[in-house]
């Protein structure tokens, strides 16, 4: 990828590319506001040039929904031209963005639905991905939430990411109540909170969830953005409804574009129609020099999907995917070559090995229908009365484990196949389950799995082009596969000569291919050989004497103030993620394939 975006995605004209970066700010911005404190000091020197700045994953410049304290610097805004080329920084302030968007508060001052909107105060403590045995210095943020009944509040997942304490305050109340995060849906950027205090719920009336609005319907956004402590109301209309890039979850789901002002602190706040029904959750904005007043709301269809998923499973399982890379069939000669008689269908260009689709779909198949709905040659399907929407919208209406009936043309023959839809397996994850990254330290050599937060924290220049290419264009060959890297070397006599090694993928240990970080830890524990031999990319080799390494480990941990040689998850028994070793013999595909959804030059993940 030529350019990437810090924990955000962008979509322009006919191209939408999901990419992440530490070097370029995104036009996509969250809408919560934060107050940062300096990073905790460490006796281990970082390799990253950004070692003294907070993690971009929780950088408030990426979260317009979290409100910074007024003493903090204003967020930097970077714009992009069409197709992703960077432009000059825009100088207008957030107040300029909303100057003409304020509605008359007197008209809705007594509206009861305003009392269901609360202010969220969150203290965040994010993991330190470069030094995975510790956490970063905590910081605070504010956002919005609203009552949905049964003692529950709804807000954005990014408002309470890496939370250590969450408090909420009702309109007109001077007390803050402790809230608990019940579940987070990272891909749809929704979180569910509960408050145990009975006093908090006295006289409370939950909001009614409305239906998907129509274009030009009036919309009112309510929340607690920058500029004051009391509730704020802005008004606009629905500008567009389509599949939208969700910056926090790096996913594509249905979104509502509005022109009502959405500012830092609005994240998690509701958007209402004229009947006082909640039609969605404010969560991000798009800012560039060429655009203005583009805000986004998570529709109630996505909210209902999230709540139903949680109720069914007792946890959030996530949105499923088909697991195929698709190409549009707009060219008549291409359709004729594939023996597609009509102007329909999309070409299966690649099937993910970890998806159930790999059992029934092949490269070269043409998908012409999904649950008996015809798929157009541009990859769209009918939507409502006279609209069309991206084909992957149909997939997003399903739940993990659901079965979809796919109509295909294979070598000119029409067929129907059934596919079980499951969440995508990311080789390089966007978010770390459990909060803290895995690691193991062997004689000062620090090993950890590659993740997008680590890439963000280390900067692309430090990670290296080859590792970035694998992160962007490789797919998991089996469930549980990870790219394990040597993050850094903690200098000691036992590892002399290896001190400058960093951010290199380790491929084998004592000649055995490494499947994931837990597999590496298991191999090291089981090793009885005299030497520990680590083979890296580009034929680099590091050899350690086993007994000397074991003797030096405690000293190294003490010198660098590290509490344990490995993360807690690696203390659990190792379970082999695959039944055989055939998948390990497969190399990276010849064609570039990304963990991300790509919609560039006619290619679309579904």
């Amino acid at each position: 990828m030529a350019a990437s975006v810090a924990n955000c995605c962008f979509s322009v004209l006919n191209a939408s590319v999901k990419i992440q970066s530490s070097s370029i700010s995104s036009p996509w911005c969250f809408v919560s506001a934060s107050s940062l404190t300096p990073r905790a000091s460490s006796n281990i020197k970082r390799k990253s040039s950004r070692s003294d700045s907070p993690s971009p994953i929780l950088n408030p410049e990426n979260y317009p929904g979290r409100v910074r304290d007024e003493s903090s610097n204003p967020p930097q805004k970077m714009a992009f031209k069409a197709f992703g080329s960077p432009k000059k920084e825009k100088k207008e302030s957030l107040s300029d963005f909303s100057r003409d968007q304020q509605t008359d508060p007197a008209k809705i001052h007594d509206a009861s639905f305003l009392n269901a909107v609360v202010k969220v105060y969150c203290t965040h403590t994010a993991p330190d991905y470069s030094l995975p045995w510790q956490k970063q210095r905590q910081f605070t943020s504010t956002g919005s939430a609203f009552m949905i009944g049964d003692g529950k509040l709804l807000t954005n997942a990014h408002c309470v990411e890496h939370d250590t304490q969450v408090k909420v305050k009702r309109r007109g109340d001077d007390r803050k109540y402790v809230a608990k995060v019940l579940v987070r849906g990272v891909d749809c950027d929704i979180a569910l909170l509960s408050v145990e205090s009975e006093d908090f719920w006295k006289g409370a009336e939950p909001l009614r969830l409305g239906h998907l609005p129509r274009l030009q319907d009036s919309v009112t956004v309510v929340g607690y953005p920058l500029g004051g402590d009391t509730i704020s109301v802005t008004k606009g209309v629905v500008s567009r409804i389509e599949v939208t890039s969700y910056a926090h979850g790096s996913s594509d789901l249905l979104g509502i574009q509005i022109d009502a002002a959405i500012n830092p602190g609005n994240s998690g706040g509701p958007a209402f129609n004229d009947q006082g029904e909640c039609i969605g959750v404010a969560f991000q904005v798009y800012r560039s020099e060429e655009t203005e007043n583009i805000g986004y709301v998570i529709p109630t269809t996505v909210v209902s999907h999230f709540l139903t998923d949680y109720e069914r499973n007792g946890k959030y399982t996530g949105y499923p995917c088909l697991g195929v890379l698709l190409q549009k069939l707009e060219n008549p000669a291409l359709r004729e070559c594939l023996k597609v008689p009509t102007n329909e269908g999309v070409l299966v260009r690649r099937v993910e090995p970890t998806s159930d689709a790999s059992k029934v779909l092949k490269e070269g198949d043409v998908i012409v229908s999904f649950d008996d709905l015809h798929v157009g040659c541009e990859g769209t399907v009918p939507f409502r009365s006279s609209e069309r929407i991206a084909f992957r919208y149909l997939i997003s209406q399903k739940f993990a484990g659901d079965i979809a009936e796919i109509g295909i043309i294979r070598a000119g023959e029409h067929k129907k196949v059934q596919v079980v839809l499951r969440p995508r397996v990311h080789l390089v994850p966007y978010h770390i389950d459990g909060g803290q990254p895995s690691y193991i330290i062997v004689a000062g050599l620090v090993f950890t799995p590659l993740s997008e937060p680590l890439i963000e924290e280390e900067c692309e220049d430090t990670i290296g082009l080859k590792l970035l290419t694998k992160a962007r264009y490789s797919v998991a060959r089996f469930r549980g596969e990870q790219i394990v890297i040597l993050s850094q070397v903690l200098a000691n006599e036992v590892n002399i000569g290896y001190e400058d090694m960093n951010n290199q993928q380790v491929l084998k240990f004592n000649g055995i291919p490494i499947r994931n970080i837990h597999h590496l830890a298991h191999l090291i524990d089981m090793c009885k050989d005299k030497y520990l031999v680590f083979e890296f990319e580009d034929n680099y080799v590091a050899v350690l004497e086993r007994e000397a390494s074991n003797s030096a480990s405690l000293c190294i941990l003490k010198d660098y103030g590290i509490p344990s040689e490995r993360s807690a998850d690696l203390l659990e028994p190792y379970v082999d993620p695959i039944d055989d070793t055939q998948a390990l013999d497969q190399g990276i595909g010849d064609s570039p394939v990304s963990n991300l959804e790509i919609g560039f030059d006619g290619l679309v993940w579904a």
Side-chain angles (χ1 to χ4, degrees), residues 347-351 361-366 410 591:
L347 175 65
V348 175
R349 183 172 176 267
R350 178 74 179 262
V351 184
L361 294 178
K362 299 179 180 180
E363 295 177 13
D365 287 346
V366 176
R410 179 179 296 168
S591 56

Side-chain angles (χ1 to χ4, degrees), residues 138-176:
Q138 72 178 26
F139 69 93
T140 59
S141 73
T142 63
S144 306
F146 59 94
M147 303 174 183
I148 61 170
D150 195 27
K152 305 294 190 301
L153 297 169
L154 206 67
T155 187
N156 283 143
H158 72 258
C159 288
V160 291
E161 185 178 28
H162 303 307
D163 67 287
T164 50
Q165 184 184 69
V166 180
K167 295 179 290 185
V168 294
K169 185 171 73 171
R170 290 184 60 177
R171 180 191 182 203
D173 196 345
D174 61 350
R175 292 172 295 176
K176 297 177 183 175

